[in-house]
Amino acid sequence: MTGRAPDGPVVDGVTAAVYTVPTDAPEADGTLTWNATTLVLASVRSGDTTGTGWTYGSPATADVITGQLADVVAGRRAFDVPAANEAMSRAVRNTGRPGLVAGALSAVDIALWDLKARLLGLPLVRLLGACRTDVPVYGSGGFTTYDDARQDRQLRHWTEELGIPRVKIKIGESWGAAEDRDRYRVAHARRSVGDRTELYVDANGGYTGKQAARMARHLDAHGVVWFEEPVSSDDLTGLARLRDTVLPDVAAGEYGYALSYFGRMLRAGAVDCLQADATRCGGITVWLRAAALAEAAGVQISAHCAPHVHAHAAAAVPNLRHVEWFHDHTRIESLFFAGALDPGGGSVRPGAEGVPGHGLVLLAGRAEPYRVR
C-alpha cells in the first residue's frame, strides 16, 4: 500500500515495541511493589507518516497489538479513528477485553489519533478542539517505600522548583496494616509543602471501609482534599458511602477498561471526581466519551498517569480537573521522547509550539538500551 486511497490516506501497517525501565528507587503503594516500569509502544504508519501511542503494562500487550489488532486496523481509512476503535473492540470479544487487551487497543487508538493529526499537520488539541490553553497538573509519587528525606525532596521539587501547587502521596501501606505510619507520612508531607499547596493521598484500595473513614478524619486535620481509592474501586457501594461521609473528595476510575465501567461508577454516585486512563480504557476515543459521561453527571474528570498521552485530550474537555504528573511516567516520557512538556507553574500547554500530533518524537537512541522486544 502507498498510504493513500481515492477517499483519503489509509493505514499501511501497525508495529509494537516493548521497553522496560528500572525505577530510580524501590517503589510501592498500598497494595503493590515494583522495581521497573514497562512501556509498550504502538506505531501506526500511513505512507511516510507515523503515529505513535503507548500504554504501561505487561510485555504481552505487544503480542495483542501485532497478533490481533494490526490486521484489523491495516487498510482502514486513517481518518476514521472511531471506526477502527469499534472494529478492534469487536475483534477482541472472545479474548477478553479488560486488562492488557484493553491496553493494547488503547495504545493503537492513541497512535491513530496521533497519525491523523500529523497527516493533517495539526497539533492534536487543534484537531480535537480546545476548551483551554493551560492544563493543570499535580505531582504524583510519594511511594510508601520512601523514607522521610526522599519524600521531602520529591515534594519540594514539585512545589518549590517547579511551582506545582498540588501534590499526592501514597498511603494504605501493606494493605492498610500500617495506619500509624500512614498518618505520620501525611503529617510530614504537609510540613514539606506548607499550607498553600493542595495535598492529595492515594490508598490504592488498601483500606477497609471503617479504616478509610477513620483515616479521613486525620486527612481532614491536615487539609487533605483528595482521597483516591480509599477502598477498592470495585466496591462502588463502599465508595459512595464514604463519599457521603468524608470531607476530602473521593476519586477513582483508573481501572476502567470500557465505557460501561464509568457509567456504573457515576450512576452509583461513587466519586466526586472521575479518573480515567486513556492507556487503559480504550484510548483517546473512549477517554473523551468518559469525560462526556462525567460532565452529564455533573462530575469533573482527572486524567490518570501517562501525562503526555492525556495532555491534548484534557485540553479539549470542559470538565477537566487536572492531569496526573506521575513520577515513573514523566521520567520515562522525558527520557524517550523529544517534545516533552514543561509543568513549571503547575500546568502544561499542549500544542503551543504548533507541532503536529501529540508533539512527541521517539528518541530511538535513548530508548534502545531499554528495549526488551
Side-chain angles (χ1 to χ4, degrees):
M1 292 184 182
T2 63
R4 182 166 288 276
D7 52 357
V10 298
V11 175
D12 292 332
V14 181
T15 59
V18 181
Y19 306 88
T20 296
V21 181
T23 58
D24 55 4
E27 294 180 358
D29 56 31
T31 57
L32 188 68
T33 63
W34 62 95
N35 58 18
T37 301
T38 295
L39 180 149
V40 180
L41 184 79
S43 298
V44 179
R45 180 175 56 84
S46 177
D48 296 329
T49 304
T50 299
T52 57
W54 59 93
T55 188
Y56 293 94
S58 169
T61 306
D63 296 331
V64 179
I65 293 173
T66 57
Q68 293 190 256
L69 301 180
D71 288 346
V72 174
V73 173
R76 290 185 170 273
R77 289 191 290 265
F79 289 166
D80 297 343
V81 182
N85 187 289
E86 182 65 18
M88 289 190 288
S89 294
R90 294 182 179 187
V92 299
R93 186 197 71 180
N94 287 348
T95 306
R97 172 166 169 157
L100 67 85
V101 174
L105 190 158
S106 299
V108 175
D109 180 89
I110 294 159
L112 286 167
W113 279 108
D114 184 46
L115 174 66
K116 180 175 180 177
R118 291 177 190 270
L119 288 168
L120 293 171
L122 292 171
L124 181 53
V125 67
R126 299 300 170 208
L127 174 61
L128 298 175
C131 278
R132 67 190 70 244
T133 301
D134 294 335
V135 173
V137 303
Y138 69 90
S140 173
F143 303 109
T144 60
T145 42
Y146 282 2
D147 61 18
D148 290 358
R150 191 173 192 95
Q151 177 178 294
D152 181 75
R153 283 197 304 273
Q154 187 179 70
L155 292 172
R156 291 183 185 276
H157 168 67
W158 290 324
T159 57
E160 297 176 7
E161 297 176 28
L162 296 180
I164 298 176
R166 53 196 82 84
V167 297
K168 185 175 80 180
I169 68 168
K170 301 288 192 179
I171 59 172
E173 183 177 348
S174 302
W175 287 90
E179 284 187 50
D180 287 345
R181 185 164 188 263
D182 288 341
R183 292 187 182 93
Y184 170 80
R185 291 180 56 248
V186 168
H188 187 263
R190 174 54 74 193
R191 289 193 295 272
S192 295
V193 302
D195 294 334
R196 295 185 178 181
T197 298
E198 291 184 14
L199 182 58
Y200 303 167
V201 298
D202 181 1
N204 287 99
Y207 293 135
T208 66
K210 288 294 182 69
Q211 276 186 301
R214 289 195 301 269
M215 183 59 65
R217 293 195 293 269
H218 178 77
L219 300 180
D220 186 50
H222 290 281
V224 174
V225 295
W226 171 279
F227 198 177
E228 184 174 331
E229 289 190 333
V231 295
S232 170
S233 55
D234 292 327
D235 181 7
L236 300 183
T237 300
L239 287 170
R241 185 181 297 119
L242 285 166
R243 183 191 181 198
D244 287 341
T245 58
V246 305
L247 288 178
D249 283 354
V250 172
E254 67 187 72
Y255 298 111
Y257 296 110
L259 190 64
S260 57
Y261 172 95
F262 304 114
R264 292 192 297 272
M265 181 167 275
L266 291 164
R267 286 193 298 272
V271 292
D272 294 292
C273 185
L274 181 70
Q275 292 178 285
D277 188 331
T279 73
R280 293 175 177 170
C281 72
I284 290 171
T285 299
V286 178
W287 193 92
L288 292 171
R289 294 171 185 171
L293 278 181
E295 184 184 8
V299 171
Q300 289 182 309
I301 190 167
S302 177
H304 173 264
C305 289
H308 290 92
V309 161
H310 288 107
H312 290 257
V317 299
N319 58 322
L320 177 75
R321 185 174 296 196
H322 40 44
V323 170
E324 183 172 12
W325 199 256
F326 181 55
H327 173 68
D328 286 358
H329 296 176
T330 57
R331 191 169 71 91
I332 293 172
E333 291 166 9
S334 296
L335 174 65
F336 279 16
F337 298 102
L341 297 167
D342 179 5
S347 65
V348 294
R349 296 170 60 88
E353 304 300 322
V355 180
H358 53 49
L360 271 64
V361 177
L362 181 69
L363 299 169
R366 287 190 184 180
E368 192 61 30
Y370 302 98
R371 184 165 180 170
V372 295
R373 292 178 58 180

